Amino acid sequence: MKMLITGGAGFIGSNFIFYMRKAHPDYDLVCIDKLTYAGNLETLASVMDDPKFHFIRADIADRSEMDRIFAEEKPDVVVNFAAESHVDRSIENPAVFLETNVMGTQVLLDVSRKYGVARYHQVSTDEVYGDLPLDRPDLFFTEETPLHTSSPYSASKASADLLCNAYHRTYGMPITISRCSNNYGPYQFPEKLIPLMIANTLADKPLPVYGEGLNVRDWLYVEDHCAAIDLILEKGRVGQVYNIGGHNEMRNIDIVKIILKALDKPESLITYVTDRKGHDMRYAIDPTKIHRELGWLPATKFADGIQKTIRWYLDNRSWWENIINGEYQNYYERMYANR
Ligand code: NAD
Ligand code: DAU
């Protein structure tokens, strides 16, 4: 079995590579990554010398390069994690989100079809469903919820999902799609809420909470997401969408307070800043389908996962300090200086 994993030098893709190495040591894994600002080869250091792992630096939107790689590697399965993934950056500059998330997906679908891959899995997001109101805790996203996107990021991810469905229906391609809620855990790029708040807390810097911090996200430990994708690849039905989430809704402000408490820092570090444009209020996944059909349930409780994650950032300071001391500083200035 040869599995081609795109975006494997990013947060979830790298965790998926580590997960698959353990769960299926007999698989050959090929990772394609463009190494954008979010991709980091240091993350993959522990597998780089593994004879059953192969890294290729390439852009999924580069058709001739993808054709060459697929002709040479002949993968059985493709799992597409590669994406521009940060909502705030999509508000600043939507174009690259369409190039990678939409056109890149289309290129991967075309070459997967040409070389007859047995399964193409698209890693999508709960953001394609838009958001839910805070005063309707009875509402959840199911796989039947209409797509209703808010940001250029979510619009690009929804477009990619529609292309996947079209390739399944039109060409009979063996496609599955997963839509997961917010992930947290090791190797998450420090522009995202949890690692950003951990890094700022450790530096005694202000913690920029958007709006009033009342927005709700449904948090899942990254390894549970990886296990769910592995199950979908093994037992999922082609042409199907599977939602992934662990019924763990939290307000942003409460997450920030948990981090402050764990690191024994004062709440006076919290700074309320101008809200994100078009900010989605609440995400909440109904994971009934993946539980009933495939038997998936999350293994990590948030109370444990967040402590493990904070511990990881404490133990791996050089990994994220290298990032925040580089080009990322310009991004931070641009995004937060006059907010
Ligand atoms: P990330 O930004 O940490 O990593 C993305 C990776 O893709 C990076 O290594 C980057 O170099 C690579 N990449 C970007 N453009 C590329 C291109 N054109 N060609 C090849 N590689 C390219 O993102 P993440 O948080 O790990 O998210 C991975 C996937 O999971 C994305 O598709 C995202 O939409 C989806 N997702 C993320 C979450 C979350 O909470 N982070 C939740 C649900 C779904
Ligand atoms: O739901 C899945 C999605 O989760 C993924 O598809 C995206 O790739 C991933 O980035 C994530 O999107 P969010 O926008 O929910 O994540 P982010 O970490 O950027 O923000 C989480 C919440 O915290 C959101 O309500 C905005 C808020 N926030 C974020 C940052 C970076 C702040 O209040 N302050 C901040 O500085």
Side-chain angles (χ1 to χ4, degrees):
M1 156 71 93
K2 186 183 271 193
M3 187 174 284
L4 190 147
I5 298 161
T6 71
F11 166 44
I12 309 176
S14 61
N15 277 284
F16 184 73
I17 288 169
F18 303 145
Y19 181 91
M20 294 306 275
R21 247 322 18 115
K22 272 201 216 137
H24 304 281
D26 53 318
Y27 284 13
D28 285 304
L29 304 181
V30 178
C31 170
I32 291 183
D33 199 294
K34 185 179 175 182
L35 297 180
T36 66
Y37 79 91
N40 189 344
L41 263 193
E42 222 180 283
T43 304
L44 294 175
S46 65
V47 289
M48 283 309 254
D49 294 331
D50 184 331
K52 294 185 87 59
F53 176 78
H54 179 32
F55 179 83
I56 304 168
R57 183 174 194 179
D59 181 344
I60 60 163
D62 183 337
R63 188 172 289 275
S64 58
E65 189 60 355
M66 287 306 114
D67 195 284
R68 188 191 65 72
I69 292 169
F70 274 62
E72 202 170 299
E73 299 289 345
K74 300 191 177 57
D76 301 297
V77 170
V78 173
V79 186
N80 181 25
F81 290 93
E84 287 294 332
S85 69
H86 193 34
V87 174
D88 292 324
R89 288 188 194 251
S90 84
I91 294 166
E92 223 193 1
N93 176 21
V96 67
F97 283 73
L98 271 73
E99 281 154 24
T100 288
N101 301 1
V102 185
M103 299 314 292
T105 298
Q106 196 229 339
V107 167
L108 287 177
L109 287 167
D110 283 342
V111 289
S112 296
R113 181 169 162 245
K114 178 171 173 187
Y115 293 98
V117 304
R119 175 71 70 84
Y120 176 96
H121 183 76
Q122 178 73 2
V123 180
S124 185
T125 167
D126 61 358
E127 296 202 14
V128 298
Y129 298 121
D131 65 350
L132 296 165
L134 285 184
D135 60 356
R136 288 293 307 273
D138 55 313
L139 294 181
F140 296 91
F141 298 137
T142 74
E143 289 80 0
E144 310 307 322
T145 303
L147 304 190
H148 188 79
T149 57
S150 311
S151 69
Y153 163 70
S154 56
S156 70
K157 293 295 289 185
S159 307
D161 286 13
L162 293 175
L163 277 174
C164 291
N165 284 335
Y167 276 59
H168 170 67
R169 173 146 176 173
T170 306
Y171 307 117
M173 269 188 69
I175 277 162
T176 42
I177 299 174
S178 53
R179 295 185 180 142
C180 190
S181 58
N182 284 61
N183 285 214
Y184 68 101
Y187 298 109
Q188 186 166 30
F189 196 85
E191 68 191 347
K192 305 284 167 61
L193 179 76
I194 289 181
L196 185 145
M197 295 300 170
I198 296 172
N200 281 19
T201 301
L202 289 171
D204 292 310
K205 279 173 65 174
L207 308 186
V209 172
Y210 298 167
E212 296 177 85
L214 301 179
N215 306 63
V216 168
R217 296 293 182 265
D218 187 357
W219 294 93
L220 186 73
Y221 194 61
V222 62
E223 236 173 57
D224 283 322
H225 185 184
C226 298
I229 294 173
D230 185 21
L231 256 186
I232 295 169
L233 292 171
E234 294 216 313
K235 299 195 202 150
R237 289 181 293 141
V238 296
Q240 293 291 310
V241 172
Y242 292 92
N243 281 353
I244 309 173
H247 280 304
N248 183 52
E249 290 178 52
M250 310 267 304
R251 298 188 312 177
N252 294 339
I253 188 65
D254 297 326
I255 300 255
V256 172
K257 287 182 180 170
I258 288 172
I259 293 170
L260 282 167
K261 188 157 182 237
L263 295 171
D264 198 21
K265 294 288 172 114
E267 289 188 7
S268 55
L269 284 176
I270 295 172
T271 311
Y272 293 94
V273 300
T274 309
D275 210 351
R276 173 185 280 174
K277 288 190 175 77
H279 199 173
D280 281 337
M281 214 55 226
R282 169 177 169 246
Y283 301 148
I285 280 279
D286 176 353
T288 306
K289 180 174 174 180
I290 192 167
H291 175 56
R292 290 231 177 103
E293 270 190 29
L294 310 182
W296 178 86
L297 275 178
T300 303
K301 289 195 183 73
F302 186 78
D304 301 330
I306 191 70
Q307 297 305 332
K308 264 205 283 193
T309 302
I310 293 170
R311 185 77 259 156
W312 188 88
Y313 280 88
L314 282 168
D315 292 344
N316 292 274
R317 284 185 91 116
S318 65
W319 182 87
W320 54 270
E321 279 177 353
N322 283 347
I323 295 171
I324 62 176
N325 291 332
E327 165 60 23
Y328 179 73
Q329 271 190 359
N330 297 334
Y331 164 82
Y332 197 87
E333 269 296 301
R334 228 172 43 241
M335 201 57 85
Y336 294 97
N338 300 312
R339 197 157 183 152

